[in-house]
Amino acid sequence: MQTSLRKLAAAWLLATASAAYAADTPREPVHVPPGIAWQHGDVDAAFALAKRTGKPLLLYWGAVWCPSCNQVKSTIFSQQAFKTRSSFFVPVYLDGDTESAQKLGERFKVHGYPTMILFRPDGTEVTRLPGEADLDRYMQALSLGMTAAHPVRQTLATALKNGASLTPDEWRLLADYSWDTDGALPVPADRVAETLQSLAQRARAAGATGDAQRLELKSVVIAASGDPAQAGALDKTAGADVLRTVLRDAALSRANADVLVAAPARVVAYLGGGDAQRAKLRGAYDAALARLSTDTTLSSIDRLMALHGRVLLARGDARKGAPLDAPALVATVRGQTAAAIQGAANVYERQALISEAADTLTDAGLLDESDTLLKAELPRSSTPYYFMSGLAANAKARGDKAAALDWYRNAYDSATGTATRLRWGATYFANAVELAPDDSARIEGIAASVLAQADKTRDAFYGANLRALTKVVAQLTRWRNGGAHDTSVRSVVKQFDGVCGKLPAGDPQAATCERLIQPVKA
C-alpha cells in the first residue's frame, strides 16, 4: 500500500512538473525593465552627463543570455525602490555584445556578467555592487556608495593598515563589495581569500561583527571555489567556526543567504576535518539551506538556489547526472522547480529560473526532466542557445558524445551578438577537441568559423572576446600534442595569422594576436 502511494505521489509530481514546464508563455524581448532612464552606447557621453548634472553614475555591464543578469533585472531593476532611486544617478546599460563593449570592459576592469560599478560625478570609481544580493542589501550598498567619503579601494587600504579607523558604513561597504567582478583589485587575485579573512579579523576587532562574519564567509567560498586558485593558507578553524555560527542562526543565515548558496559542497570539502566532522557540518548546512529554500522573504530564484545547494551537498562526489539516493529531496526538487517556474513574475525571472531549475534537476539525477524543461523553453526564449548548451551538457553527462556535439553546434549556430558568438564558438571547439579529437574536418571547420567571426569583430582581442580566443588556442595546443593533427593545426594557424595580419600595425590588438597564437607555432 505504501509503495502504491509513493508511486501515485511520484506520478502526480511528475505530471505537475510537466504541466508547468509546458505552460504556454509568449516570447518577450529580454532587455531591461521599463521605468529607468538608461543611457545606452556612448559611455563617455554618459560620464559627461553625470559631471554636468553632478549626479553619480551607475554602470551596468551584462548580457541578455546571462542568468545572473536576468536575476538582477527581476529582483533589482524591476522593483519600484530601484526605479525611484535611479532618478538620483545616471544609469548606464552596457551590453557585452555592443560594438567596442569588450574594450570598454577592459577599461573598467570588468571580470564577468553582471558587473555594476558606481562612480562619482567626476568619474572616480566608488564601489562595485553585489548582483547576488537581495533588494534590501543591494539598495543599502547603493545608498552607502552614493554617500561614501572614500572609494572602496582607498577604504580597503586603510582597513588593512588600521581597521579601528573605519566607520560602520565603511565596513558594510567592504562586506558587500563585489570582489569577484573587480579585475583591478589592489591585492593579487590569488590572495583575495587571505585578504578577506584578514579584513574579517579587523572588522571583528572593530566591533563590526555582522560584517566580519560576511567577510569570513566570502573568504572561505573564494578559497573553496579555487577560481582562481588561492595562495597562502586560511585559518580553516576560524572559517568553520563562523560558518557554524551562521548556519545555526536563522537570522544570520537569511542575512548571508547569497553567500551560503554559492558553493556549499565545496565549502564543506574545503574545510575538511574527519568524516564525522564533515558529516556534521554537511547536516548543519543542509538544515540552513532547507530553511532558506522555503523562506518567502527571498526571491523564487534565491529559494531555488538554496534547494540546488541541498542537492549538491547530497550528491557529494558522485558524477554529474548520476541518480541521487535521496527520494524525499528528489520529490522536493520536482515540486519546487515546477512551482517556481509556474509562478515566474516576469520574463527575466523566468529566464533565470529555467536555468537554475534545469541545473538543479540535472544535479538531482533527473536528466530527462531537465531536458524536457529546456526543450520546452527553446521556442519561447529570446536566447535559446543558452538552453541548448544545457542540453549539450546533459548529453555529455550521459556519455552521448554525438548528441552533445549536435547541441553544441546548434547552440553556436543560434547564438547572436559578436561576443556571444565567439564565446559559444570557443565552447563548441573545446568540446569537439575533447569528444571527437579524430574528427579533423569538424574541428577545422569550427576554428575557421570562429576566426571568421573574430576577423569581423572590432574588439576581438579585448575582454571576453580575448578569453574566448585564448580558450581556442589552448585547445588547439592540446589537440596538437602528439603530432597526429599537424596538418590541420597548421591550417588553423594560417587562418589565425590571416586575422592578425589584417590588424593595423599601430593597433595593440595586433601584438596581442601574435602573442596569442605563438605557443601553437613553437
Side-chain angles (χ1 to χ4, degrees), residues 11-314:
W12 179 84
L13 282 167
L14 182 58
T16 303
S18 299
Y21 299 158
D24 186 18
T25 302
R27 179 184 294 196
E28 298 180 47
V30 180
H31 193 44
V32 282
I36 302 168
W38 292 104
Q39 303 291 310
H40 295 269
D42 193 337
V43 173
D44 289 327
F47 274 103
L49 175 62
K51 186 174 183 178
R52 188 167 63 251
T53 58
K55 291 182 177 181
L57 181 146
L58 177 65
L59 174 67
Y60 165 82
W61 165 276
V64 294
W65 53 264
C66 157
S68 298
C69 302
N70 283 308
Q71 179 178 355
V72 168
K73 291 173 186 178
S74 175
T75 60
I76 307 296
F77 296 163
S78 292
Q79 306 307 311
Q80 190 56 49
F82 180 84
K83 293 180 180 183
T84 300
R85 184 65 59 84
S86 70
S87 64
F88 295 95
F89 55 80
V90 176
V92 180
Y93 178 90
L94 186 58
D95 186 278
D97 279 316
T98 55
E99 188 172 308
S100 298
Q102 296 303 323
K103 186 176 182 179
L104 284 168
E106 287 205 358
R107 170 180 161 185
F108 297 117
K109 308 301 181 187
V110 168
H111 249 187
Y113 306 133
T115 295
M116 289 164 284
I117 312 175
L118 183 67
F119 296 88
R120 287 176 174 166
D122 66 1
T124 302
E125 179 176 328
V126 179
T127 191
R128 300 197 176 205
L129 299 169
E132 68 281 359
D134 64 16
L135 179 64
D136 289 344
R137 185 175 285 276
Y138 184 94
M139 294 303 295
Q140 182 183 58
L142 176 60
S143 295
L144 291 176
M146 291 176 70
T147 58
H150 308 289
V152 161
R153 288 174 189 165
Q154 182 180 337
T155 303
L156 170 61
T158 302
L160 292 173
K161 290 179 181 177
N162 178 19
S165 66
L166 263 62
T167 67
D169 285 351
E170 287 173 326
W171 278 120
R172 178 55 53 88
L173 269 177
L174 287 173
D176 286 337
Y177 191 70
S178 183
W179 301 92
D180 58 341
T181 65
D182 191 346
L185 284 172
V187 295
D190 63 352
R191 295 282 180 178
V192 174
E194 183 180 64
T195 300
L196 292 182
Q197 188 169 66
S198 179
L199 287 173
Q201 293 166 355
R202 287 164 168 76
R204 214 162 17 247
T209 305
D211 300 319
Q213 290 169 334
R214 190 167 177 83
L215 287 163
E216 189 81 50
L217 292 176
K218 286 188 173 185
S219 75
V220 171
V221 169
I222 290 172
S225 299
D227 184 21
Q230 295 294 294
L234 286 194
D235 181 346
K236 292 185 180 181
T237 300
D241 286 345
V242 169
L243 177 60
R244 281 191 288 266
T245 297
V246 171
L247 294 176
R248 281 195 301 266
D249 189 295
L252 291 177
S253 295
R254 172 61 182 83
N256 293 284
D258 54 319
V259 185
L260 292 178
V261 301
R266 291 182 179 182
V267 166
V268 170
Y270 172 77
L271 291 176
D275 290 344
Q277 287 176 301
R278 279 196 299 273
K280 188 174 181 180
L281 183 58
R282 189 181 299 112
Y285 217 138
D286 181 70
L289 291 175
R291 289 195 306 268
L292 294 173
S293 70
T294 58
D295 186 338
T296 55
T297 68
L298 289 168
S299 70
S300 293
I301 303 166
D302 290 327
R303 294 198 299 272
L304 197 54
M305 290 176 72
L307 177 61
H308 193 179
R310 294 190 66 200
V311 169
L312 293 173
L313 283 173

Side-chain angles (χ1 to χ4, degrees), residues 475-486 489 519-522:
Q475 292 301 319
L476 191 62
T477 303
R478 172 186 172 188
W479 191 49
R480 182 197 62 178
N481 286 344
H485 309 289
D486 278 350
V489 170
V520 187
K521 296 179 178 181

Side-chain angles (χ1 to χ4, degrees), residues 21-22 341 350-351 353-359 361-362 366-381 383-395 398 407:
Y21 299 158
I341 294 166
R350 183 179 177 89
Q351 284 279 110
L353 282 169
I354 292 291
S355 174
E356 188 64 29
D359 286 348
L361 289 166
T362 292
L366 304 174
L367 286 168
D368 290 346
E369 291 168 54
S370 177
D371 278 359
T372 297
L373 170 60
L374 292 169
K375 288 177 181 177
E377 199 65 18
L378 294 181
R380 293 193 284 266
S381 174
T383 56
Y385 48 87
Y386 186 84
F387 299 129
M388 290 176 188
S389 296
L391 288 162
N394 284 350
R398 290 189 185 92
W407 279 118

Side-chain angles (χ1 to χ4, degrees), residues 328-348:
L329 181 56
V330 169
T332 299
V333 167
R334 284 188 169 120
Q336 188 167 334
T337 53
I341 294 166
Q342 195 168 40
N346 52 56
V347 66
Y348 315 109

